[in-house]
Amino acid sequence: MTKLSVEKLSKEFPTPAEPLRVLTEVAFSLNSGENLSIVGPSGCGKSTLLHIIGTLDTPTAGTVELDGINPFALVPKELAAFRNEKIGFVFQEHYLLPQLSAIENVLVPCLARGRATSEQVDRAKLLLKNAGLTERENHRPHEMSGGERQRVAVARALILNPVLVLADEPTGNLDQDTAEQIGTLLIQMQKNESAMLICVTHSNELAQRFDNAKRLDHGKLMDSNSTATATGK
Ligand SMILES: Nc1ncnc2c1ncn2[C@@H]1O[C@H](COP(=O)(O)OP(=O)(O)O)[C@@H](O)[C@H]1O
Ligand SMILES: [Mg+2]
């Protein structure tokens, strides 16, 4: 079984004065097929945490282990391959390429290894079908609604069968109904694929839909129903 373990993860950013401490000894683990939401107000460190887990940034202290591998011990080329193979990202912005169709956008992660294979094209079609977008396969981003564009971004995150999907405010740019649909799609696709999913958001409504819900409070990760006082802080 694939596992993600995060242990005693801390992050400080240097500033001209004293370092800005954003994360303090964050720890949790997740198994394949499980999902987790992390909620907290703007500026509390959600993106920083997700970027470190996604190997886009490095921790000041602590460890991340994904599928038995410590990504921070890899050389840059290995790390890029590891990230491409194991991790899918969904951001608040869709980051689709405007000149490419929906299906071409879904296939972009395959290009890191050369051309997309015919199996990958079939998989892209299946993912777009599961996202309700069969009729939009050949549409370019400007020919789709915001919700449809984000559905394409979800399909793109899954194209290489990642073991871990990371979503940073995936519904932040959408109206309430569309946001609900994207939340449903993310969870449904993660379960279909038996991937792990971590979603960070300031939306309690979205966060509550996950199997496990935690929150970031002054840099510490807590169960969503506990208070800072109850944990002895
Ligand atoms: N590269 C950086 N350098 C310095 N400070 C940063 C950097 N990235 C984020 N921060 C600071 O860390 C804190 C947490 O930011 P962020 O993780 O983006 O929060 P959130 O995603 O919860 O809104 C903020 O105070 C932000 O200004
Ligand atoms: Mg953020």
Side-chain angles (χ1 to χ4, degrees):
M1 175 177 291
T2 312
K3 191 171 178 184
L4 168 72
S5 302
V6 173
E7 280 174 32
K8 290 197 167 183
L9 201 76
S10 297
K11 180 68 175 177
E12 289 179 355
F13 290 111
T15 75
E18 59 187 32
L20 175 69
R21 171 155 276 229
V22 178
L23 301 172
T24 304
E25 300 199 343
V26 167
F28 69 92
S29 65
L30 212 59
N31 291 315
S32 46
E34 293 180 341
N35 65 45
L36 165 70
S37 63
I38 300 174
V39 79
S42 180
C44 76
K46 303 183 298 295
S47 294
T48 302
L49 175 59
L50 214 66
H51 289 164
I52 295 172
I53 296 169
T55 76
L56 299 169
D57 199 354
T58 51
T60 310
T63 59
V64 173
E65 190 177 279
L66 176 59
D67 209 3
I69 294 169
N70 167 12
F72 303 116
L74 303 175
V75 299
K77 201 176 161 192
E78 291 170 338
L79 180 61
F82 173 88
R83 187 188 303 127
N84 182 245
E85 183 191 327
K86 308 256 184 220
I87 307 174
F89 293 91
V90 181
F91 297 102
Q92 180 167 355
E93 304 289 333
H94 54 76
Y95 295 120
L96 300 181
L97 296 174
Q99 70 275 30
L100 300 186
S101 65
I103 188 158
E104 287 166 343
N105 267 291
V106 173
L107 288 166
V108 161
C110 308
L111 304 180
R113 303 175 201 172
R115 277 178 62 108
T117 64
S118 62
E119 288 79 18
Q120 287 171 331
V121 173
D122 289 345
R123 177 164 167 78
K125 287 185 179 173
L126 179 66
L127 289 169
L128 285 174
K129 180 171 173 242
N130 293 345
L133 289 174
T134 295
E135 307 292 310
R136 299 285 181 276
E137 261 179 30
N138 297 310
H139 285 226
R140 289 197 287 161
H142 77 273
E143 298 165 330
M144 291 184 280
S145 68
E148 287 169 346
R149 288 193 283 263
Q150 198 62 325
R151 284 165 178 268
V152 175
V154 171
R156 180 185 55 192
L158 291 165
I159 186 69
L160 292 177
N161 305 87
V163 295
L164 174 63
V165 178
L166 299 176
D168 189 348
E169 303 279 10
T171 64
N173 285 350
L174 305 172
D175 63 69
Q176 198 179 332
D177 284 352
T178 313
E180 257 185 62
Q181 289 166 19
I182 292 293
T184 304
L185 180 70
L186 259 177
I187 293 171
Q188 190 185 314
M189 286 186 134
Q190 171 253 331
K191 293 282 179 193
N192 272 349
E193 307 277 324
S194 298
M196 296 179 269
L197 169 65
I198 303 174
C199 177
V200 302
T201 177
H202 66 270
S203 162
N204 283 311
E205 276 171 345
L206 177 62
Q208 280 163 9
R209 302 182 56 185
F210 288 73
D211 299 337
N212 308 286
K214 295 189 182 283
R215 68 192 170 87
L216 259 182
D217 187 340
H218 295 89
K220 297 194 172 177
L221 192 69
M222 322 210 181
D223 289 336
S224 60
N225 51 4
S226 67
T227 63
T229 350
T231 59
K233 185 164 167 267

